[in-house]
Amino acid sequence: MSLHPIVESVTARIIERSRPGRRAYLDLIARERESGVDRPNLSCGNLAHGFAASGEDKPAIRTGGAMNIGIVTAYNDMLSAHQPYGRYPEQMRLWAREIGITAQVAGGVPAMCDGVTQGQRGMELSLFSRDTIALSTAVALSHGMFEGAALLGICDKIVPGLLIGALRFGHLPTILVPAGPMPSGLANKEKQRVRQLYAEGKVGREELLEAESASYHGAGTCTFYGTANSNQMMMEVMGLHIPGSAFVNPGTKLRQALTRAAVHRLGEIGWDGGDYRPLGLCVDEKAIVNAAVGLLATGGSTNHVIHLPAIARAAGIVIDWEDIDRLSSAVPLIARVYPNGSGDVNHFQAAGGMAYVIATLLDGGLLHRDIMTVGGDDLGAYARDPMLDGETLAWSDAPATPHDEAMLRPYDNPFLPDGGMRLVQGNLGRGTLKTSAVDPARWTVEAPCRIFDDQDQVTAAFKAGELDRDVIVVVRFQGPKANGMPELHKLTPSLGVLQDRGFTVALVTDGRMSGASGKVPAAIHISPEAIAGGPIAKLRDGDIVRLCAERGEIVALVDAAEWDAREDAVAPPAHVGTGRELFAFMRAGADTAERGGSAMLAAAGL
C-alpha cells in the first residue's frame, strides 16, 4: 500500500525543517569517516595502550586488518533489566572471533532504575542521566579504537542516551543489543489494585511489598509497557536491532542466538565491505517518523515525546509535538498492553509481537519501508519472528492474524482510530495528553484547581481528605530547569482512588508522568515550565481549568485582564542532597521539554 498521506506530509515537513541541520550532520559523519580518529591514525604509543590487555585478540587489534567492535555497556546487577548483561562482553568476544573480528568493552555508562527512584529524591537525576549516558558513550567511543559499536542497554533514559552519544559517531555501524523482559509474574491489574488499597490505608506495607516483589521478581525488563519496553519497540521500527530481538526473555537459547547474530552482523556492515551501514544513515527522518508511529500505534510511553526530539537533534533532525499530534490523528491504536490493557509484554509477544505490529503497519502504509536498517534490505525484514531451527537462527513471517485480538489488532480493525497522544495548548502553554488508557467520557475535564509545588504535598492533601471533590491537581515547578523533571507516577494510585470514588479528576503539570501512567487524564510536560516564566505559574487555588483532549485545549478560565496582571508564583528553593546539587548546571541550561529538555544539546548548538 502507498504511504498514508498524513505520514507522508509530516515526514516532508520534518525533512524540510531539518534540511540545514541534517546537511551539517551528514557532512560531519563523512569527515569523521575519512579523517577522524581511527586506528591507522593512532601513534604507536596510543595503539599499544589500546591493546595492551587484549590477550589473544592482541595480534588482530595490533595489525588493524579486521573490525574491532566497541561494546558500550549499561550493565549493573541492581537493575533487573541490565543484570543479564554481565556475561555479554565475554560471550561477544568469542562470537567476534568466530568471524575473524574482535571486540572490546569501550566503556560503561550509568544505568539508574526509575523503579527504585520513583517518588524519591534520586528521581530528580533521572532525565539528566540520559545526557550523562550520552556523554559517557561519547567518551567510550572517543578512543578511535573501533570500527563498529554494540550498545547494551534497555531502560528508560539509557537507550536514548546511548543512541544520542553514538549518533555523534554516526560513521560507525552500530547495533543495539537488548536482553529481554523478565517472565510474567503477578498480574499488573492485581498489582494496581493492591497499590490503590495501600493508598487508601486498607492494606499495609507488608502486603504491598509482597505484591510488588511478585510482580518484579527476576532478571529482565519490567513487563508493563512503560518507557523501557517502548524503547525496544522503537529500536525495532527504526531497524536498529537484529529483527525480532525486543521481547525474547533472558537466559534462553533464542536470546543468546540473537546476540550472537548481532556480533556477526556488525562484521558484515563494516566500512571495509560492500554493505556499509553507518548509524547516521540508518537514523534519518523516516526512521524518526517510524519511531513516532510505533509509539502511537502501540500506546507507548509519553516520556518519548521528550526523548524522541532529543535523539533526532543528535542526528540533525527537528521533530516537534505538532508532528506527533498530526501523526496521532492518522495512526490507529492496535495494541493493548498494560497499562492500556490487561496483558503484559510477554502476552504481547505471544500474540504476534513486533513482527505483527510492523507487518500490519506496513500493510496500512503507516511505516516507511524504505529505510536503511542494520538487519535487512528494508523494514520488511522486521515483519518476521526469530526462531531456532535446531541450533540455527531463522525467521518466519509474522502471523497473518493476531493470536490474541484482546492484545493486538490489524491496522484496519483497531482498538481506537487514533494513536491517543494529543497536543493540548492554550493560555497555560503546550503539553501532552495521552488518551489511549483513559475512558473517552473523561477526555474533557473542567474543575477548580488545587496548586502544589511538590508531589509529597499532593499525597499529604489526599490523606487529609482535602481532595475528595472534583479537582484538577496542578503540580508545578517540576520541569527540567526547576528540579530535573522527575516522574510523578507516585501520584497515580491516589488520583485513581479519587476517580474511583466518582470525582472528576485530572492532573496538570510541567513535570513528567511515567510510561506506566494510566486511567486518570493528565496534561503533562506543560511548556514553558513555571520556573521559566510559563503561564502555569500564574494559576491560583480555585481557578477553573478546562482540559479537553477532543479540542486539544488547556485553558485557565480567568478574566484576561486579571490573568495578565498576575505575578508569577515564586519558585521553591533548589534541592540539595542525593547529589542533586551537582546537576545544577544541567538544570540551568536545559531547554524546553518539547526540544528534549537538554542542556547538553542546547550548549552544543544542536
Side-chain angles (χ1 to χ4, degrees):
M1 181 180 287
S2 60
L3 196 64
H4 191 288
I6 291 180
V7 176
E8 186 173 35
S9 68
V10 169
T11 304
R13 182 174 185 257
I14 293 170
I15 289 172
E16 182 58 33
R17 186 195 305 124
S18 304
R19 201 173 298 281
R22 183 65 175 171
R23 184 182 303 115
Y25 176 74
L26 293 177
D27 288 347
L28 168 71
I29 64 173
R31 290 195 307 272
E32 291 292 289
R33 168 66 186 93
E34 294 302 319
S35 58
V37 179
D38 59 14
R39 277 189 290 165
N41 293 327
L42 295 178
S43 73
C44 293
N46 297 148
L47 190 57
H49 277 289
F51 61 65
S54 57
E56 65 183 272
D57 290 326
K58 185 181 291 189
I61 297 174
R62 175 175 177 157
T63 59
M67 174 186 280
N68 188 31
I69 297 170
I71 301 169
V72 183
T73 178
Y75 164 74
N76 67 53
D77 63 8
M78 177 274 298
L79 179 48
S80 65
H82 288 192
Q83 185 271 350
Y85 284 135
R87 298 287 301 277
Y88 272 42
E90 176 186 350
Q91 295 169 335
M92 292 171 76
R93 275 190 283 271
L94 296 174
W95 294 327
R97 291 172 193 152
E98 291 176 342
I99 59 168
I101 65 175
T102 56
Q104 293 177 291
V105 174
V109 303
M112 71 179 291
C113 180
D114 285 6
V116 175
T117 58
Q118 193 67 249
Q120 306 298 322
R121 294 174 178 178
M123 179 54 80
E124 295 184 17
L125 309 186
S126 176
L127 178 61
F128 296 142
S129 77
R130 181 197 65 196
D131 290 9
T132 305
I133 290 161
L135 294 168
S136 300
T137 302
V139 170
L141 296 177
S142 68
H143 296 90
M145 288 289 295
F146 313 109
E147 294 78 41
L151 308 180
L152 311 188
I154 291 179
C155 286
D156 293 17
K157 266 53 72 195
I158 299 153
V159 165
L162 287 167
L163 196 49
I164 290 167
L167 279 166
R168 304 313 294 174
F169 297 77
H171 60 293
L172 297 178
T174 301
I175 295 180
L176 285 102
V177 182
M182 69 178 70
S184 300
L186 182 71
N188 284 298
K189 288 287 188 182
E190 176 62 14
K191 176 187 69 178
Q192 182 187 49
R193 186 186 70 84
V194 176
R195 283 178 174 176
Q196 289 203 180
L197 289 173
Y198 180 76
E200 294 178 279
K202 294 179 179 178
V203 300
R205 179 180 171 85
E206 187 58 38
E207 291 88 345
L208 178 63
L209 181 57
E210 183 61 31
E212 298 286 356
S213 60
S215 179
Y216 310 116
H217 61 88
T221 318
C222 305
T223 60
F224 62 82
Y225 195 46
T227 311
N229 288 317
S230 298
N231 278 335
Q232 304 315 303
M233 173 279 303
M234 290 200 312
M235 295 306 100
E236 294 273 330
V237 298
M238 294 175 77
L240 300 179
H241 277 170
I242 291 297
S245 296
F247 300 123
V248 176
N249 299 126
T252 62
K253 287 186 176 181
L254 181 56
R255 167 55 64 203
Q256 186 175 72
L258 288 164
T259 304
R260 182 184 183 214
V263 175
H264 288 186
R265 184 61 179 157
L266 275 168
E268 296 169 352
I269 61 176
W271 61 46
D272 289 331
D275 195 17
Y276 177 43
R277 301 189 182 207
L279 178 64
L281 295 188
C282 291
V283 179
D284 64 4
E285 296 92 338
K286 292 179 180 180
I288 292 293
V289 169
N290 278 3
V293 168
L295 185 70
L296 295 162
T298 59
S301 169
T302 53
N303 281 325
H304 285 302
V305 302
I306 301 173
H307 297 320
L308 194 55
I311 292 168
R313 285 169 72 184
I317 299 165
V318 181
I319 183 172
D320 64 22
W321 290 348
E322 186 176 340
D323 296 321
I324 295 172
D325 186 64
R326 290 186 185 187
L327 289 171
S328 185
S329 71
V331 175
L333 181 72
I334 63 169
R336 283 285 193 196
V337 192
Y338 183 84
N340 297 337
S342 59
D344 64 20
V345 294
N346 292 309
H347 302 116
F348 166 77
Q349 176 74 0
M354 287 308 305
Y356 181 80
V357 165
I358 290 172
T360 192
L361 291 177
L362 285 172
D363 287 346
L366 294 161
L367 287 173
H368 291 281
R369 181 185 292 270
D370 58 332
I371 62 171
M372 179 182 286
T373 74
V374 301
D377 292 335
D378 58 34
L379 191 62
Y382 290 76
R384 301 185 300 162
D385 266 324
M387 61 180 182
L388 285 176
D389 183 4
E391 297 296 316
T392 303
L393 180 61
W395 283 265
S396 60
D397 289 341
T401 58
H403 297 310
D404 181 356
E405 288 213 349
M407 294 292 304
L408 272 174
R409 296 273 185 87
Y411 79 91
D412 54 358
N413 182 31
F415 293 104
L416 291 172
D418 67 74
M421 201 84 80
R422 306 294 175 88
L423 170 65
V424 291
Q425 51 191 332
N427 66 357
L428 287 175
R430 288 160 67 91
T432 298
L433 196 158
K434 181 178 176 181
T435 61
S436 54
V438 177
D439 186 323
R442 301 183 185 278
W443 286 5
T444 298
V445 177
E446 185 175 312
C449 69
R450 173 75 186 272
I451 311 295
F452 300 94
D453 294 340
D454 180 271
Q455 60 183 322
D456 290 332
Q457 296 172 354
V458 181
T459 302
F462 168 77
K463 290 179 178 178
E466 297 171 10
L467 301 178
D468 286 341
R469 56 186 172 85
D470 292 350
V471 63
I472 291 183
V473 173
V474 176
V475 190
R476 62 190 176 193
F477 298 111
Q478 303 296 307
K481 283 182 173 294
N483 63 353
M485 211 176 190
E487 287 182 345
L488 304 178
H489 182 50
K490 179 179 179 179
L491 303 181
T492 301
S494 300
L495 296 176
V497 167
L498 294 174
Q499 186 168 278
D500 289 348
R501 289 175 180 170
F503 299 116
T504 296
V505 183
L507 174 71
V508 171
T509 180
D510 51 8
R512 293 187 294 133
M513 279 293 277
S514 169
S517 53
K519 63 186 182 181
V520 176
I524 58 178
H525 314 153
I526 298 296
S527 297
E529 61 178 288
I531 205 170
I536 192 175
K538 293 180 180 292
L539 277 174
R540 302 291 183 263
D541 278 335
D543 286 345
I544 304 297
V545 172
R546 182 194 300 132
L547 174 62
C548 181
E550 298 280 5
R551 295 162 57 180
E553 183 179 57
I554 181 166
V555 292
L557 303 179
V558 178
D559 176 76
E562 178 187 346
W563 184 254
D564 292 342
R566 282 185 182 177
E567 297 289 329
D568 289 352
V570 176
H575 295 145
V576 175
T578 322
R580 290 172 289 179
E581 60 278 8
L582 300 178
F583 289 77
F585 74 102
M586 286 193 173
R587 292 193 297 273
D591 51 19
T592 65
E594 188 166 4
R595 300 201 70 223
S598 173
M600 174 188 69
L601 294 173
L606 299 176

